[in-house]
PDB file of all heavy atoms in Angstrom:
ATOM      1  N   THR D 207      92.711 134.492 140.883  1.00 94.00           N
ATOM      2  CA  THR D 207      93.103 133.016 140.459  1.00 94.00           C
ATOM      3  C   THR D 207      92.326 132.014 141.324  1.00 94.00           C
ATOM      4  O   THR D 207      91.842 130.919 140.761  1.00 94.00           O
ATOM      5  CB  THR D 207      94.600 132.866 140.551  1.00 94.00           C
ATOM      6  OG1 THR D 207      95.275 133.650 139.673  1.00 94.00           O
ATOM      7  CG2 THR D 207      94.957 131.326 140.393  1.00 94.00           C
ATOM      8  N   THR D 208      92.078 132.306 142.597  1.00 96.00           N
ATOM      9  CA  THR D 208      91.280 131.371 143.517  1.00 96.00           C
ATOM     10  C   THR D 208      89.926 131.200 142.914  1.00 96.00           C
ATOM     11  O   THR D 208      89.315 130.065 142.938  1.00 96.00           O
ATOM     12  CB  THR D 208      91.341 131.741 144.887  1.00 96.00           C
ATOM     13  OG1 THR D 208      92.668 131.807 145.258  1.00 96.00           O
ATOM     14  CG2 THR D 208      90.461 130.889 145.741  1.00 96.00           C
ATOM     15  N   LEU D 209      89.341 132.323 142.483  1.00 96.00           N
ATOM     16  CA  LEU D 209      88.008 132.215 141.935  1.00 96.00           C
ATOM     17  C   LEU D 209      87.921 131.381 140.620  1.00 96.00           C
ATOM     18  O   LEU D 209      87.135 130.430 140.493  1.00 96.00           O
ATOM     19  CB  LEU D 209      87.501 133.611 141.514  1.00 96.00           C
ATOM     20  CG  LEU D 209      86.141 133.771 140.810  1.00 96.00           C
ATOM     21  CD1 LEU D 209      84.999 133.136 141.718  1.00 96.00           C
ATOM     22  CD2 LEU D 209      85.831 135.247 140.534  1.00 96.00           C
ATOM     23  N   LEU D 210      88.927 131.461 139.756  1.00 95.00           N
ATOM     24  CA  LEU D 210      88.987 130.623 138.555  1.00 95.00           C
ATOM     25  C   LEU D 210      89.136 129.119 138.966  1.00 95.00           C
ATOM     26  O   LEU D 210      88.536 128.302 138.425  1.00 95.00           O
ATOM     27  CB  LEU D 210      90.167 131.010 137.679  1.00 95.00           C
ATOM     28  CG  LEU D 210      90.004 132.172 136.727  1.00 95.00           C
ATOM     29  CD1 LEU D 210      91.096 132.115 135.694  1.00 95.00           C
ATOM     30  CD2 LEU D 210      88.581 132.018 135.953  1.00 95.00           C
ATOM     31  N   ARG D 211      89.962 128.925 139.979  1.00 94.00           N
ATOM     32  CA  ARG D 211      90.168 127.588 140.370  1.00 94.00           C
ATOM     33  C   ARG D 211      89.001 126.910 141.025  1.00 94.00           C
ATOM     34  O   ARG D 211      88.661 125.726 140.852  1.00 94.00           O
ATOM     35  CB  ARG D 211      91.349 127.441 141.285  1.00 94.00           C
ATOM     36  CG  ARG D 211      92.761 127.764 140.687  1.00 94.00           C
ATOM     37  CD  ARG D 211      93.847 127.832 141.702  1.00 94.00           C
ATOM     38  NE  ARG D 211      94.068 126.380 142.258  1.00 94.00           N
ATOM     39  CZ  ARG D 211      94.725 125.451 141.668  1.00 94.00           C
ATOM     40  NH1 ARG D 211      95.270 125.575 140.478  1.00 94.00           N
ATOM     41  NH2 ARG D 211      94.811 124.276 142.288  1.00 94.00           N
ATOM     42  N   CYS D 212      88.221 127.744 141.692  1.00 95.00           N
ATOM     43  CA  CYS D 212      86.874 127.227 142.123  1.00 95.00           C
ATOM     44  C   CYS D 212      85.937 126.966 141.024  1.00 95.00           C
ATOM     45  O   CYS D 212      85.243 125.911 141.028  1.00 95.00           O
ATOM     46  CB  CYS D 212      86.263 128.208 143.120  1.00 95.00           C
ATOM     47  SG  CYS D 212      87.130 128.349 144.783  1.00 95.00           S
ATOM     48  N   LEU D 213      85.913 127.740 139.947  1.00 95.00           N
ATOM     49  CA  LEU D 213      85.039 127.584 138.853  1.00 95.00           C
ATOM     50  C   LEU D 213      85.468 126.235 138.093  1.00 95.00           C
ATOM     51  O   LEU D 213      84.574 125.424 137.600  1.00 95.00           O
ATOM     52  CB  LEU D 213      85.168 128.769 137.821  1.00 95.00           C
ATOM     53  CG  LEU D 213      84.504 130.037 138.335  1.00 95.00           C
ATOM     54  CD1 LEU D 213      84.721 131.075 137.326  1.00 95.00           C
ATOM     55  CD2 LEU D 213      83.111 129.935 138.780  1.00 95.00           C
ATOM     56  N   ASN D 214      86.654 125.999 138.052  1.00 92.00           N
ATOM     57  CA  ASN D 214      87.180 124.747 137.375  1.00 92.00           C
ATOM     58  C   ASN D 214      87.272 123.552 138.271  1.00 92.00           C
ATOM     59  O   ASN D 214      87.802 122.541 137.902  1.00 92.00           O
ATOM     60  CB  ASN D 214      88.558 125.020 136.722  1.00 92.00           C
ATOM     61  CG  ASN D 214      88.635 125.880 135.506  1.00 92.00           C
ATOM     62  OD1 ASN D 214      88.448 125.319 134.489  1.00 92.00           O
ATOM     63  ND2 ASN D 214      88.547 127.212 135.722  1.00 92.00           N
ATOM     64  N   PHE D 215      86.862 123.730 139.467  1.00 90.00           N
ATOM     65  CA  PHE D 215      86.838 122.614 140.590  1.00 90.00           C
ATOM     66  C   PHE D 215      88.170 122.101 140.868  1.00 90.00           C
ATOM     67  O   PHE D 215      88.346 120.894 141.164  1.00 90.00           O
ATOM     68  CB  PHE D 215      85.856 121.423 140.052  1.00 90.00           C
ATOM     69  CG  PHE D 215      84.447 121.952 139.776  1.00 90.00           C
ATOM     70  CD1 PHE D 215      83.996 122.212 138.563  1.00 90.00           C
ATOM     71  CD2 PHE D 215      83.632 122.170 140.839  1.00 90.00           C
ATOM     72  CE1 PHE D 215      82.706 122.608 138.321  1.00 90.00           C
ATOM     73  CE2 PHE D 215      82.337 122.644 140.590  1.00 90.00           C
ATOM     74  CZ  PHE D 215      81.875 122.853 139.344  1.00 90.00           C
ATOM     75  N   LEU D 216      89.226 122.952 140.738  1.00 91.00           N
ATOM     76  CA  LEU D 216      90.475 122.654 141.330  1.00 91.00           C
ATOM     77  C   LEU D 216      90.516 123.068 142.735  1.00 91.00           C
ATOM     78  O   LEU D 216      91.531 122.592 143.401  1.00 91.00           O
ATOM     79  CB  LEU D 216      91.527 123.432 140.434  1.00 91.00           C
ATOM     80  CG  LEU D 216      91.616 123.111 138.877  1.00 91.00           C
ATOM     81  CD1 LEU D 216      92.466 124.151 138.130  1.00 91.00           C
ATOM     82  CD2 LEU D 216      92.049 121.662 138.739  1.00 91.00           C
TER      83      LEU D 216
END
Side-chain angles (χ1 to χ4, degrees):
T207 294
T208 300
L209 176 58
L210 275 193
R211 290 180 63 83
C212 286
L213 293 179
N214 283 270
F215 302 102
L216 299 172

